[in-house]
Amino acid sequence: MELKKFLTEIVKDWAAIPKKEKEEVIEALRGVLSFENGVSGEKYALKKLKKLNSEYEFVLTDGSKSPADIVCLLKHKEYWHFGLFQVKTSQDTKMLKSEIDEKKTLPILAEIIKKRFLISKETSRYRKKQLFITIGYLGIYKQKKHSVYKSLPYSKSFTLNNLSLTNIDKTEIKNKLHRNIK
């Protein structure tokens, strides 16, 4: 499966949700001071994540057309783990709080991934694969250089096909990917 192609399908599914149904969450996605600042913060976060988690494949969503700015995938022999990241970039640390409105949008996207996984041509050979989907937030502080101000997983996670991981395993995987990114 090619993550980039699969993500293109996910973004189309997100776009297909009637505007009225996602009005308040779409409004929440418009918080970056400038598009350029946002993209530079996302690229910085992507570089950090790749360095810390080389076993994952990472993709930046094109033009931030989805609630997740960065999506990653680990193809473990027993399960696949998708990680979804919402990235906020600001020159003001007060703007980098983790209780953001976008928190409502990532669970919707996780559900879209579960549905798309069962019907996509990209996943036709893997439909019975166990899935674990985690969501999280990265706050990128930008002065002259970027730095990670805050990184954390959100408590909710999603599964498909009777995931056989224990709760301890799930927490460990989620924290390794979404926490303590410095």
Side-chain angles (χ1 to χ4, degrees):
M1 180 190 93
E2 288 187 49
L3 181 58
K4 186 78 172 166
K5 285 183 180 178
F6 183 68
L7 185 57
T8 298
E9 293 177 38
I10 300 303
V11 170
K12 284 180 185 174
D13 290 345
W14 170 259
I17 297 173
K19 189 175 182 177
K20 191 155 185 102
E21 285 182 36
K22 58 182 181 180
E23 236 167 37
E24 74 178 47
V25 291
I26 284 176
E27 202 50 46
L29 291 172
R30 301 170 212 234
V32 177
L33 296 174
S34 78
F35 182 75
E36 293 79 23
N37 261 353
V39 170
S40 70
E42 290 166 10
K43 287 180 179 178
Y44 173 80
L46 181 67
K47 185 178 173 184
K48 286 292 249 185
L49 288 166
K50 283 181 173 182
K51 186 176 179 181
L52 293 169
N53 302 284
S54 60
E55 67 276 22
Y56 283 81
E57 176 184 356
F58 287 89
V59 175
L60 205 58
T61 56
D62 292 331
S64 294
K65 292 181 181 167
S66 113
D69 298 305
I70 298 172
V71 176
C72 68
L73 175 62
L74 170 70
K75 295 177 182 174
H76 189 276
K77 64 181 179 180
E78 295 171 24
Y79 63 89
W80 283 7
H81 175 213
F82 282 93
L84 310 178
F85 293 87
Q86 174 56 233
V87 180
K88 281 289 181 203
T89 305
S90 181
Q91 296 171 341
D92 180 0
T93 57
K94 292 177 187 149
M95 299 294 293
L96 297 175
K97 58 186 191 277
S98 58
E99 286 302 315
I100 55 176
D101 291 334
E102 289 89 331
K103 191 173 180 178
K104 299 172 190 171
T105 63
L106 289 175
I108 297 167
L109 194 65
E111 292 296 338
I112 290 172
I113 287 173
K114 286 171 53 175
K115 289 175 185 168
R116 176 56 57 184
F117 192 83
L118 296 173
I119 61 172
S120 173
K121 287 182 182 178
E122 284 297 310
T123 59
S124 62
R125 293 180 27 214
Y126 311 103
R127 295 225 168 97
K128 294 191 191 267
K129 188 59 87 173
Q130 296 176 30
L131 286 192
F132 182 45
I133 304 170
T134 57
I135 58 178
Y137 168 81
L138 276 171
I140 305 297
Y141 179 62
K142 183 180 185 222
Q143 283 299 88
K144 291 180 182 170
K145 293 184 177 183
H146 292 92
S147 63
V148 175
Y149 177 74
K150 186 177 276 194
S151 65
L152 77 147
Y154 292 133
S155 58
K156 194 164 189 171
S157 60
F158 305 82
T159 63
L160 182 68
N161 295 334
N162 300 314
L163 184 68
S164 60
L165 294 171
T166 67
N167 285 336
I168 292 172
D169 290 337
K170 289 177 192 175
T171 300
E172 190 175 295
I173 291 165
K174 180 171 43 172
N175 285 340
K176 181 186 182 299
L177 184 65
H178 291 280
R179 196 178 289 283
N180 300 322
I181 302 164
K182 293 289 176 189

